[in-house]
Amino acid sequence: MSVPSPEPTLWELQRALQQLREDQRDGIAGLRESLRADLQVLAGRIEQAVTKDVYAADQRLVEQRLAVLERDLATEVRAREATEAATITARRWLIGAFLAPLVVAALQLWLLSNGHP
């Protein structure tokens, strides 16, 4: 009868190396699949990204639109102020045109009632 030796046989070493290679191959295949999925996600993100030039152009366009809106708003404010001033002036003239004859008539009546010709 032979006594088992503590050292592995050549067949056991070959089997261990083969198992190690299979494990490495499976691990690398898993890494490749994971890397492909990550690259697809990254490609999707890059497709949605905007370049600095496009972003800067868009910001300039927004600034131009805001400048136009501010200018138009300032024009509207000035027009409204001018309209309000014209309305106030028209009211003053209307009140003056209505009250002046009444005051003159009241003064004449007062003078006539006091006996002044």
Side-chain angles (χ1 to χ4, degrees):
M1 212 174 191
S2 69
V3 177
S5 89
E7 294 182 16
T9 63
L10 290 176
W11 176 251
E12 291 172 338
L13 286 175
Q14 181 181 0
R15 180 71 185 132
L17 281 174
Q18 186 178 5
Q19 184 64 39
L20 182 64
R21 286 180 182 151
E22 288 175 7
D23 290 345
Q24 283 180 340
R25 193 172 337 135
D26 292 342
I28 289 174
L31 287 174
R32 282 184 182 149
E33 290 175 18
S34 176
L35 182 60
R36 282 187 187 121
D38 290 346
L39 287 175
Q40 287 176 350
V41 169
L42 184 61
R45 283 182 163 176
I46 288 174
E47 288 176 2
Q48 293 176 353
V50 178
T51 64
K52 286 183 179 180
D53 295 336
V54 172
Y55 181 76
D58 187 50
Q59 288 301 313
R60 283 191 302 271
L61 181 61
V62 168
E63 288 173 3
Q64 288 174 352
R65 287 179 180 171
L66 284 175
V68 168
L69 286 173
E70 288 173 349
R71 186 181 64 233
D72 291 347
L73 180 62
T75 303
E76 288 295 322
V77 166
R78 284 192 300 271
R80 179 177 284 178
E81 289 172 350
T83 302
E84 288 174 359
T87 303
I88 290 171
T89 303
R91 283 184 190 153
R92 287 181 183 160
W93 278 102
L94 181 62
I95 291 171
F98 181 73
L99 286 180
L102 288 177
V103 170
V104 169
L107 184 60
Q108 286 178 350
L109 285 174
W110 182 71
L111 287 174
L112 286 175
S113 69
N114 284 337
H116 296 296

